[in-house]
Amino acid sequence: MAGQPRCELCGARAAPLRCPGCRLTYYCDVSHQKTDWVSIHSQICHLLSPVLRPQRCFHSEKDRKDGKEQLLRKQESLIAVALCRAQGFLWAGQPLEAIPAALQALRSSSRLLGPASLRLLPIYLLLAEASTGAGRPRQAAKYLSQAQWIVLQSPDCSAALQSKLHRGLGLFSIAEGNLEQALYHLANDVYLATAEFGLNSVEVSGGYFHMANIFFHQNKMDAANSLYTEVSSLWHAWLLSSLHGHQRALQARAEASPFSEEEEGSEDGTTEAQRERGARMLGAVLELREQGPLQHPGETAQILHSLAIIHYLGQDLAKSIHRAGNSCIHAVLDFGESWDGGGDGGGCCRVRLPLALHCRANIAKINPKNSTRTHLPPSPIFPLPAGIQAKGEEPVTMD
Amino acid sequence: MARPRRPVKGRAGGESSSCGRAMSPVQMKVLPQAVLQSPGEHPKFIEQPLCPPLEFARIHLIKDKDAIDDYLAKNIKGVSTQEAAAYRNSYEKNICIDMLRRGYHKSFSELLTLIQKWNAFREAAGPGSAIWHEKSLEEQPDKLDQLSHFLTGAEAARRAGHYEKVYDNQLSLACCFSDPEDKWLSNYFYEQSYNTAQLVEIDGGKRKAQAYVNMGLIEEEEGHITKAAEHFETFYELTEGTSWKDETGCTYTSLACQHLWRIYTLLADKMLENKQHHEAIKLLIKALKMAKEGGDIKMHGEAAYCLSLAYHFSGENETALAVLNTSVEIFTSLCDSAGLGRAYAAVAKILASQGKSSEAVKYLGEFMKDAESAHLSQSLVDANVLLGKVHNERGNYNEALEYFSQASEAAKALNNLPLVAETESYCGIAKAHQLMVPFNSHVAAAADPLSLQCLLAWKQNRSDMCTDPLPAEPGKETSDSKPL
C-alpha cells in the first residue's frame, strides 16, 4: 500500500487517476478505470473504504474486539461480492469482465488469509478459467501453477479441492488442445471427487461431462454416449431426491404453525450454483442428444425432467412447466415407439411418463394461479395408442 | 510370510486340497457322506487367459533404490509429471485413473464398489476374525490387474453390444478368484455372468447353460438345495442333445447328470432324515436314472447303493437286496474296494436284520473269495471284519476272533496304521466276549470251591481262566499293548 500507488487493473506504477468515490483506487487511464467499474468497482466502491482505511483506535478491550470482528465481517462480505460477481460474468460468457472482479477477490482474500491459504484455490481456478476464456493462456497457466503450488504446500488439502484443481488443469489442457493430458487430469478429478463425495454424487458428473466432450471430439462415440448417459442419470437421481426433500419440507411447513417462516428454500439441499451447473451441463447434453443421429427419447425425457425440476426448485415456474411438458412429450414418444416395437424399453417409459406428469401436477398444486393446462406446449400431434391417455393421467396421485 | 487361511468347510479329504474350493457344506445325515465323491467344483468352461500387468501403474511398486535408478536409466528422458504422480499414488489409484482416462467409468465404479464391499465385510466381521488379518483388495496389485483388465474388456464389449464377450470376461474374473478367501468375489462374478448370459443369443444357449450350472453350484454351497436343483434341471434341459464339452473333455450332458445325481441324493437324504421314505425313494430312482444316463459306472453303483439303503429304511428289504446286487456287481467289475465294503456291509446288515445270518455268512464268504482272487487287500480286511461281526453277534466268539485276527493280519500287510488299530480293537472285543463265557459260568458256580479258586487265580494274574475247560489262548486282552 505504501509508496507510489499502482493501477488497480494492470499494476502499472504510473497511475494518475483516482476513483472519486472511495478515493482509494488508482488507474493509469480512463479505459482501465471504466473496465474496473463495470466489472466490480461499482459494486464495492462503498465497501472499500471501511476495510482499507486505517482503523479507528478504540479505548476499551471490548470495543477493540468488536471492531476487529466487524472488520472481518466486512472483509468477508467484500470477498463474497467479488467472487459472486466474477462467477456471474463467467457463466454469462463474459470472461474479460470477470477478471477484474476475480482479481479483487484474490487481493482481498490474500490480505485476509495470507498467500498460501487453501481458500485462494477456487479464486485462482476461476481466474485461470476466465483467462483461458479471454484468450490469455499464459496468464491461465500462471494462475494454475499458483493453485498447484498452494496444494503442494498443504499436504492435508482435501480431496474435494484437489479434484477442483485437476478439473481446472484438465480444462486448461482442453483449451491447449492436449487432449490426452486433459483426460489424465479429468480422470484424477473424478477419482478424487468420488473419494470425497461418493460414487453417485453430482460432484463427479463434472469430470465425466468434460471427459465425454473429449471423447465426442475424438469421435469415440460409444465412450462419449456412455458418459453422457451417466451424467444425466446422476443429475436426475440427485434432483429427484432433492425434489422429494423439498416436498417434505413444504409439507412440514404446512403442518407447522403458519408464523414460523424463517428458513426459505435452502432445506431442499440445492444451491443456486449447483442448479446453475446442472442446468448448463444438462442443457449441453440435451443439445447434443437432439442433434445426434441417434435419438434417445427416453434419455431426453429424463434430461428434460431434470431441467424441469431445476427450474421448479429455482422458482422459475414458467420454464419449469415448459420443460415438464416437453418431457411429457418425449416420454410419450418413447412410450409410443416401444409400444410399436414391443421392445424392452416400455418398462422404463411407463415409469417416466408418470414422473413427468407428476411433476406437472406438482407445479399446478404449488401455483394455483397459473392453470397448467394453458401453459402447456401443444399436445402431441400423433395419435396416442389406445389406453395411454387413461394410464398417463392416473399416476399423478402417486405420492 | 504364511498367511492365516480360513478353514475350508466340509469333510476332511485328500482330493479336495488341489482345487482349494470349499466342498459342499451340505452334510448328509442319513446316507453316508462318502458316497458323494465329487465336490461341487465349478466346471472349467474356458481356458484361463492371463492378463499382462500395467507397466505404467506398477512404477510405484518399485521401492528399491537400485530399481528406481535402473528404471530411470531405461527411460533416459527422465520422469514425467504423470510418472512422478504415479509413483506417489497408491496402486489402486493408478489403476482407477488408468481406467477412467480410457473412458471406462462403469468399470471404475464397479471396482470401487467391490473394494468398499470388502471393507464393509471386514468391518462387520470385526477385529480378530479371519478376514481382519487379510489384505484389503486395494493392497493386492495382481488382483487389481485382473479386475481392471476384465472389467474394462466387459464394458467395451457391452458398449459394442457383444454380450457373449461380456459374459466371457465376467466368467474369466469368476475363475480368477479361486482362493477360498475370495469366494465372495468369485460368486459375485458368477452371478453377473449369469445375468449377462440371459442376453446372449448367438451361441445356441451354450453360455446360458454354463451360467445355470455355475449358479446351481453357488446355491448348493449356500445350502439352498432346492434352488440348486432347479438350476441344474435347467442346465440339463439346455444341454440335452448337444455335443458341448468343457475344457477337460467332459460333455455338458454328463456334467448335468452328475450334478443332478448329487443334488437328488442330497435332497433324498433330507427326506430320509424327516422319515419321508416314499418321496426319498422316488427321488433316488430319479438320481439312479441320472447316474445311468451320465455314463459314469461308479456313480451308477453309488446311486444303486443309496437307493437300496432307502428301501431298507422303509422296510422293503427284498427290493433293497435286489438293488444292492447291481451295486455289488458294478463295484466288483470296477475293483472298487471302498464301494464293495459299503455294499457288502449293507447286505450283511439287511440279512442280519431279517435273521438270516447264515445266509449273510455265505454271502460274505463269497465276498472274501472274490477279494482274494482279485487281490483287493482292503476288501479282504473288510470281508473279514464283516464276517467277524456277524459271528460276534451270533455269539460265535471263537470264529469272530479268528476273522478279526485275520483282518488285523491283512491290515498289517497293508501297512495302514489306523486300519490296524481298528481291527485290533475288534480282536480285543471278540477276545473279551470269549472270556466272558467261562467267567460267567465260574461266577454262577461260585459255591464250588474249584470255581472260586479259578476266579481268585484269575484275579491274581489276570491272564486267563487257568482251569478253563475251553481252550485258552495265551495273549493279552487289550490290543494297544501289542506291537504294531
Side-chain angles (χ1 to χ4, degrees):
Chain A
M1 285 278 104
Q4 228 176 331
R6 285 163 174 264
C7 171
E8 189 76 2
L9 205 64
C10 64
R13 294 259 178 214
L17 282 175
R18 178 154 73 166
C19 171
C22 57
R23 303 174 65 81
L24 276 166
T25 54
Y26 297 83
Y27 303 94
C28 38
D29 57 29
V30 184
S31 72
H32 279 188
Q33 184 179 13
K34 205 170 171 187
T35 314
D36 194 32
W37 181 258
V38 170
S39 170
I40 182 73
H41 199 75
S42 58
Q43 305 290 314
I44 58 165
C45 190
H46 60 287
L47 294 174
L48 273 177
S49 68
V51 174
L52 289 182
R53 282 197 186 286
Q55 293 302 305
R56 268 182 57 204
C57 197
F58 295 106
H59 296 297
S60 76
E61 183 71 30
K62 187 172 168 296
D63 285 348
R64 273 198 288 278
K65 212 174 138 203
D66 284 351
K68 229 179 196 165
E69 272 172 15
Q70 220 170 16
L71 179 67
L72 211 65
R73 261 205 306 283
K74 279 177 189 155
Q75 281 171 326
E76 291 279 0
S77 74
L78 182 66
I79 296 169
V81 168
L83 252 183
C84 179
R85 188 99 176 137
Q87 186 69 70
F89 276 121
L90 207 55
W91 276 337
Q94 297 166 295
L96 262 177
E97 279 79 359
I99 292 175
L103 277 173
Q104 179 63 49
L106 184 68
R107 268 197 304 272
S108 318
S109 302
S110 63
R111 200 158 48 222
L112 182 65
L113 307 156
S117 162
L118 279 173
R119 277 184 56 194
L120 295 184
L121 195 71
I123 307 177
Y124 274 122
L125 293 177
L126 204 115
L127 270 170
E129 202 183 334
S131 309
T132 317
R136 297 177 188 166
R138 290 188 57 175
Q139 288 278 328
K142 200 185 91 189
Y143 291 130
L144 282 172
S145 303
Q146 295 268 20
Q148 237 174 335
W149 177 233
I150 289 176
V151 169
L152 278 177
Q153 274 174 306
S154 29
D156 54 342
C157 173
S158 75
L161 280 178
Q162 287 187 46
S163 120
K164 268 198 178 136
L165 170 66
H166 275 291
R167 186 167 314 168
L169 288 166
L171 289 176
F172 180 65
S173 301
I174 294 178
E176 269 190 324
N178 188 350
L179 294 184
E180 283 311 310
Q181 180 85 10
L183 279 176
Y184 169 76
H185 284 302
L186 290 171
N188 268 297
D189 167 28
V190 170
Y191 179 84
L192 291 162
T194 309
E196 181 81 15
F197 302 104
L199 265 175
N200 298 319
S201 56
V202 276
E203 281 81 1
V204 184
S205 68
Y208 280 149
F209 174 70
H210 294 303
M211 283 173 90
N213 285 341
I214 293 176
F215 285 124
F216 188 80
H217 189 76
Q218 290 177 332
N219 220 5
K220 290 178 187 163
M221 286 326 232
D222 50 351
N225 276 332
S226 165
L227 283 163
Y228 281 133
T229 312
E230 178 76 12
V231 169
S232 45
S233 61
L234 276 176
W235 275 100
H236 190 244
W238 182 74
L239 284 167
L240 266 187
S241 71
S242 308
L243 182 68
H244 288 153
H246 181 74
Q247 279 168 345
R248 265 197 303 279
L250 278 183
Q251 231 165 21
R253 202 181 304 156
E255 281 163 13
S257 76
F259 300 108
S260 57
E261 282 184 11
E262 299 111 281
E263 307 124 289
E264 263 299 318
S266 60
E267 61 274 69
D268 54 39
T270 64
T271 62
E272 197 192 336
Q274 276 174 328
R275 284 199 296 272
E276 175 70 30
R277 266 194 305 137
R280 296 170 70 82
M281 229 182 272
L282 290 170
V285 177
L286 183 65
E287 206 171 305
L288 280 170
R289 284 284 184 249
E290 279 171 348
Q291 284 170 358
L294 276 167
Q295 291 296 321
H296 313 259
E299 203 191 320
T300 312
Q302 195 184 33
I303 298 173
L304 284 167
H305 185 218
S306 306
L307 285 169
I309 299 176
I310 290 179
H311 294 312
Y312 166 65
L313 291 175
Q315 312 287 321
D316 194 347
L317 291 178
K319 266 189 188 172
S320 177
I321 289 162
H322 179 71
R323 291 295 196 193
N326 273 337
S327 174
C328 271
I329 292 177
H330 274 274
V332 171
L333 249 179
D334 196 15
F335 193 39
E337 266 177 18
S338 60
W339 192 271
D340 296 337
D344 283 323
C348 66
C349 312
R350 230 161 276 141
V351 182
R352 228 161 255 153
L353 178 63
L355 268 179
L357 287 163
H358 167 66
C359 184
R360 201 178 65 182
N362 273 323
I363 298 161
K365 232 177 356 191
I366 304 294
N367 198 9
K369 282 173 280 178
N370 290 356
S371 162
T372 47
R373 308 280 153 176
T374 57
H375 278 256
L376 267 177
S379 60
I381 324 131
F382 51 87
L384 283 172
I388 288 210
Q389 213 105 40
K391 231 181 208 163
E393 290 298 332
E394 268 183 331
V396 172
T397 53
M398 66 189 251
D399 235 21
Chain B
M1 193 181 73
R3 203 163 17 159
R5 293 217 161 195
R6 230 177 298 166
V8 180
K9 267 199 202 165
R11 77 201 136 97
E15 77 264 65
S16 69
S17 53
S18 60
C19 62
R21 190 165 279 288
M23 262 164 297
S24 91
V26 186
Q27 296 289 317
M28 299 226 281
K29 302 270 170 57
V30 184
L31 298 172
Q33 185 78 47
V35 170
L36 302 185
Q37 287 281 333
S38 61
E41 191 182 339
H42 289 272
K44 213 167 172 239
F45 289 126
I46 44 163
E47 195 61 55
Q48 184 61 40
L50 270 175
C51 75
L54 282 173
E55 271 302 322
F56 158 77
R58 288 248 163 186
I59 301 173
H60 102 110
L61 293 178
I62 311 174
K63 288 293 177 213
D64 168 30
K65 173 86 174 61
D66 293 343
I68 294 171
D69 290 346
D70 187 42
Y71 180 86
L72 287 181
K74 270 187 211 146
N75 305 272
I76 310 162
K77 64 189 190 310
V79 184
S80 72
T81 353
Q82 288 185 21
E83 280 170 322
Y87 181 72
R88 285 165 152 233
N89 291 344
S90 69
Y91 191 63
E92 174 244 7
K93 184 171 174 184
N94 285 337
I95 284 260
C96 286
I97 286 174
D98 182 70
M99 285 194 288
L100 278 170
R101 68 193 292 185
R102 289 188 288 143
Y104 294 117
H105 63 100
K106 288 217 172 85
S107 311
F108 162 71
S109 57
E110 198 164 354
L111 181 66
L112 272 199
T113 318
L114 284 176
I115 290 175
Q116 282 166 4
K117 226 186 205 173
W118 199 98
N119 291 339
F121 278 152
R122 189 162 175 268
E123 286 299 321
S129 57
I131 194 175
W132 193 263
H133 298 289
E134 271 160 30
K135 270 188 186 169
S136 161
L137 211 52
E138 301 156 60
E139 293 156 22
Q140 303 186 50
D142 295 326
K143 284 181 188 163
L144 288 177
D145 277 338
Q146 303 287 331
L147 279 168
S148 107
H149 181 261
F150 290 114
L151 280 176
T152 51
E155 191 176 352
R158 190 185 293 275
R159 279 179 193 165
H162 300 311
Y163 287 105
E164 68 285 350
K165 282 185 193 152
V166 180
Y167 172 86
D168 289 346
N169 276 299
Q170 286 168 338
L171 189 63
S172 302
L173 273 176
C175 298
C176 277
F177 300 103
S178 50
D179 291 345
E181 67 262 24
D182 295 328
K183 189 103 202 63
W184 67 278
L185 261 180
S186 146
N187 284 358
Y188 171 81
F189 284 113
Y190 275 127
E191 268 164 50
Q192 296 276 309
S193 69
Y194 172 77
N195 295 337
T196 314
Q198 310 302 323
L199 305 170
V200 179
E201 276 160 3
I202 58 159
D203 63 348
K206 190 174 176 184
R207 289 184 173 79
K208 219 175 185 176
Q210 295 174 357
Y212 271 106
V213 69
N214 284 329
M215 277 312 280
L217 286 167
I218 290 173
E219 294 287 359
E220 186 189 339
E221 263 160 33
E222 283 166 9
H224 307 143
I225 307 280
T226 334
K227 266 192 204 158
E230 278 165 24
H231 284 304
F232 287 138
E233 274 162 7
T234 323
F235 176 52
Y236 177 75
E237 281 158 24
L238 284 170
T239 54
E240 252 182 333
T242 62
S243 57
W244 296 326
K245 281 182 183 165
D246 70 359
E247 286 292 308
T248 56
C250 194
T251 63
Y252 283 14
T253 321
S254 70
L255 267 178
C257 292
Q258 208 178 313
H259 288 307
L260 272 175
W261 164 66
R262 194 184 60 251
I263 214 82
Y264 284 150
T265 311
L266 283 171
L267 273 173
D269 179 73
K270 278 245 165 78
M271 290 173 173
L272 285 175
E273 203 186 337
N274 300 330
K275 305 280 178 227
Q276 298 164 309
H277 293 131
H278 197 62
E279 288 86 346
I281 287 171
K282 256 194 207 162
L283 255 182
L284 283 168
I285 290 174
K286 254 165 112 184
L288 184 64
K289 188 174 151 265
M290 281 298 137
K292 263 187 208 163
E293 203 180 323
D296 184 345
I297 307 173
K298 181 171 161 45
M299 192 160 76
H300 186 178
E302 302 283 13
Y305 168 69
C306 290
L307 180 60
S308 74
L309 281 188
Y311 275 128
H312 168 55
F313 291 137
S314 71
E316 298 169 51
N317 285 324
E318 291 310 317
T319 333
L321 281 176
V323 179
L324 259 180
N325 255 335
T326 26
S327 175
V328 167
E329 272 163 31
I330 289 169
F331 286 133
T332 316
S333 69
L334 282 175
C335 292
D336 181 344
S337 3
L340 272 176
R342 263 185 279 124
Y344 271 111
V347 171
K349 198 174 149 202
I350 294 172
L351 286 175
S353 72
Q354 285 178 311
K356 300 176 186 166
S357 38
S358 52
E359 215 167 297
V361 171
K362 210 175 84 198
Y363 217 90
L364 289 172
E366 272 170 36
F367 177 30
M368 192 146 78
K369 253 184 256 158
D370 284 349
E372 260 168 2
S373 61
H375 301 290
L376 290 172
S377 339
Q378 173 70 45
S379 290
L380 199 59
V381 178
D382 288 338
N384 274 317
V385 168
L386 287 172
L387 270 169
K389 277 182 179 169
V390 172
H391 282 298
N392 192 19
E393 266 165 37
R394 292 174 74 192
N396 303 336
Y397 301 123
N398 293 337
E399 282 92 343
L401 181 59
E402 199 178 313
Y403 283 120
F404 281 141
S405 40
Q406 271 179 33
S408 151
E409 289 306 313
K412 270 179 206 160
L414 264 178
N415 217 0
N416 183 345
L417 287 188
L419 196 62
V420 171
E422 193 188 329
T423 49
E424 296 210 327
S425 35
Y426 280 130
C427 284
I429 293 168
K431 214 171 263 178
H433 280 149
Q434 201 186 25
L435 204 56
M436 280 291 283
V437 179
F439 181 80
N440 280 346
S441 68
H442 283 308
V443 171
D448 181 5
L450 193 64
S451 296
L452 201 60
Q453 211 172 2
C454 274
L455 281 173
L456 284 172
W458 180 76
K459 191 180 170 245
Q460 282 295 317
N461 58 21
R462 291 282 170 102
S463 64
D464 266 314
M465 291 290 163
C466 55
T467 53
D468 204 273
L470 296 164
E473 271 187 45
K476 297 175 190 101
E477 274 83 342
T478 48
S479 57
D480 53 358
S481 56
K482 272 192 183 180
L484 296 178

